[in-house]
Amino acid sequence: LIFIASLLLGTTITISSHHWVMAWTGLEINTLAILPLISKSHHPRAVEAATKYFLTQAAASALVLFSSMTNAWQTGQWDITQLTHPTSCLILTSALAIKLGLVPFHFWFPEVLQGSPLTTGLLLSTIMKLPPIALLYMTSPSLNPTLLTTLAILSTALGGWMGLNQTQIRKILAFSSISHLGWMAIIIAYSPKLALLNFYLYVMMTTTVFLTLNTTKTLKLSTLMTAWTKTPPLNAMLLLTLLSLAGLPPLTGFLPKWLIIQELTKQDMTPAATLISLLSLLSLFFYLRLAYCTTITLPPHTTNHMKQWRTGKPANITIAILTTMSVMLLPLSPMIPTLI
């Protein structure tokens, strides 16, 4: 309870702060609160994950502090929105890229996610991404669009490519997170609200997937193949949620991609929009593989696989609501441009 409260406190401090040191304090509280949750199981891999997480986040926090100090040195301003010095903008972008796990600073993220339990993995992929995204949102007018576009296209490419040959579901979700962050990074300099919308929808769909996997206690593709006997309706809905994460049209996940491509075309960035759309096909492949394993395949050797017992308890109401939203929010799209 203390750690969860600290997480929420750290996130709130960072989001609501105007002074760089307060934002840094919030990030530090966040990092220190999630570490015990990662290493809770005392498995060597969990300890390794916690160590890796601590080292990368500490480096990123130091860079955040360094960039804000450089900016204060040059401009005499500690206000987050007044980040005007180009060097400090550059350092801040790389620091937040390390915090988020954008390519080329993405190496820690799949490893950490693989070492932590599913619920902690959910926190790492959702709530821990909010403070850096909020800082990017607040500093977005002064960030370098070329650098962000490069990071974004690399993230979408590598997030798709590296997820292709994975069998561990948490690693697949880590790479999916990296490619989604690419979509957010490409648009944050042009339409920050659209990046936030993308983030909220991504959080909703990822939460659904993690909670569903946690209900069926699934960690690998091979166990996913036999998990359909536990709660068949939930698995059928997991199929739709995964396709929604992939961004297929009648589902919610298509909404942010569509609006981002539209905005990029308005900004005369049609080549970048084309490239990022083509690269998202890579991640579509592994989502399809996950979806295929979820619902369609029966394991080839039925003798070797133990059929799981159907669990008596139904999926809880949270999963039901989140799944419905992850699948059916696309008709809201005419309302979005009025909000943005």
Side-chain angles (χ1 to χ4, degrees), residues 284-300:
L284 172 65
F285 176 80
F286 63 73
Y287 287 125
L288 277 176
R289 201 175 74 177
L290 267 176
Y292 183 71
C293 289
T294 309
T295 47
I296 302 166
T297 49
L298 284 172

Side-chain angles (χ1 to χ4, degrees), residues 142-209:
S142 48
L143 295 176
N144 181 350
T146 321
L147 175 66
L148 282 171
T149 310
T150 315
L151 287 178
I153 286 174
L154 282 174
S155 296
T156 321
L158 279 169
W161 259 315
M162 294 174 77
L164 291 181
N165 60 350
Q166 299 294 336
T167 56
Q168 297 285 343
I169 294 177
R170 283 170 295 185
K171 276 198 175 170
I172 293 181
L173 287 170
F175 288 118
S176 102
S177 175
I178 291 168
S179 62
H180 272 275
L181 284 167
W183 282 87
M184 290 169 225
I186 200 166
I187 199 67
I188 195 120
Y190 303 105
S191 170
K193 284 186 179 167
L194 205 51
L196 268 190
L197 171 79
N198 190 349
F199 178 70
Y200 294 145
L201 292 177
Y202 157 75
V203 164
M204 190 176 68
M205 295 183 287
T206 309
T207 309
T208 315
V209 173

Side-chain angles (χ1 to χ4, degrees), residues 256-271:
K257 286 190 163 63
W258 176 25
L259 291 171
I260 286 173
I261 289 170
Q262 191 181 347
E263 182 64 33
L264 287 175
T265 320
K266 279 185 199 163
Q267 302 284 353
D268 287 337
M269 288 178 64
T270 319

Side-chain angles (χ1 to χ4, degrees), residues 35 68 82 210 258:
L35 284 172
S68 52
Q82 303 294 324
F210 268 106
W258 176 25

Side-chain angles (χ1 to χ4, degrees), residues 11-313:
T11 309
T12 315
I13 288 176
T14 305
I15 292 170
S16 57
S17 58
H18 293 287
H19 196 287
W20 272 115
V21 175
M22 282 302 287
W24 173 81
T25 312
L27 290 171
E28 284 297 302
I29 293 173
N30 251 1
T31 306
L32 294 175
I34 195 92
L35 284 172
L37 295 176
I38 298 175
S39 58
K40 194 170 62 176
S41 63
H42 297 299
H43 189 275
R45 181 160 283 173
V47 177
E48 179 192 352
T51 315
K52 282 179 178 170
Y53 185 76
F54 174 71
L55 292 173
T56 45
Q57 298 298 316
S61 293
L63 281 176
V64 168
L65 211 51
F66 180 55
S67 79
S68 52
M69 280 169 63
T70 315
N71 188 60
W73 192 296
Q74 300 292 339
T75 61
Q77 280 282 0
W78 277 101
D79 196 328
I80 291 184
T81 49
Q82 303 294 324
L83 189 80
T84 46
H85 192 249
T87 315
S88 43
C89 285
L90 212 64
I91 298 171
L92 180 81
T93 311
S94 23
L96 293 179
I98 297 174
K99 278 230 168 269
L100 289 167
L102 280 169
V103 173
F105 311 109
H106 64 290
F107 295 103
W108 63 273
F109 190 49
E111 300 291 328
V112 170
L113 214 60
Q114 180 57 35
S116 45
L118 277 171
T119 39
T120 313
L122 167 63
L123 289 175
L124 279 170
S125 328
T126 54
I127 201 168
M128 298 302 288
K129 301 264 186 264
L130 184 55
I133 292 266
L135 288 178
L136 279 175
Y137 178 83
M138 288 189 270
T139 54
S140 58
S142 48
L143 295 176
N144 181 350
T146 321
L147 175 66
L148 282 171
T149 310
T150 315
L151 287 178
I153 286 174
L154 282 174
S155 296
T156 321
L158 279 169
W161 259 315
M162 294 174 77
L164 291 181
N165 60 350
Q166 299 294 336
T167 56
Q168 297 285 343
I169 294 177
R170 283 170 295 185
K171 276 198 175 170
I172 293 181
L173 287 170
F175 288 118
S176 102
S177 175
I178 291 168
S179 62
H180 272 275
L181 284 167
W183 282 87
M184 290 169 225
I186 200 166
I187 199 67
I188 195 120
Y190 303 105
S191 170
K193 284 186 179 167
L194 205 51
L196 268 190
L197 171 79
N198 190 349
F199 178 70
Y200 294 145
L201 292 177
Y202 157 75
V203 164
M204 190 176 68
M205 295 183 287
T206 309
T207 309
T208 315
V209 173
F210 268 106
L211 289 177
T212 308
L213 294 174
N214 196 34
T215 308
T216 54
K217 298 283 178 284
T218 314
L219 295 176
K220 296 198 294 290
L221 283 181
S222 55
T223 46
L224 187 64
M225 286 181 182
T226 53
W228 62 272
T229 47
K230 277 187 177 178
T231 42
L234 191 59
N235 261 30
M237 290 312 285
L238 179 61
L239 164 80
L240 287 175
T241 314
L242 286 166
L243 294 181
S244 181
L245 258 177
L248 288 186
L251 307 166
T252 308
F254 178 59
L255 169 60
K257 286 190 163 63
W258 176 25
L259 291 171
I260 286 173
I261 289 170
Q262 191 181 347
E263 182 64 33
L264 287 175
T265 320
K266 279 185 199 163
Q267 302 284 353
D268 287 337
M269 288 178 64
T270 319
T274 314
L275 193 54
I276 202 166
S277 312
L278 287 174
L279 289 170
S280 70
L281 290 176
L282 288 169
S283 45
L284 172 65
F285 176 80
F286 63 73
Y287 287 125
L288 277 176
R289 201 175 74 177
L290 267 176
Y292 183 71
C293 289
T294 309
T295 47
I296 302 166
T297 49
L298 284 172
H301 311 294
T302 40
T303 47
N304 298 351
H305 284 272
M306 287 183 63
K307 288 282 189 292
Q308 311 277 344
W309 280 99
R310 184 173 296 206
T311 45
K313 60 177 198 307

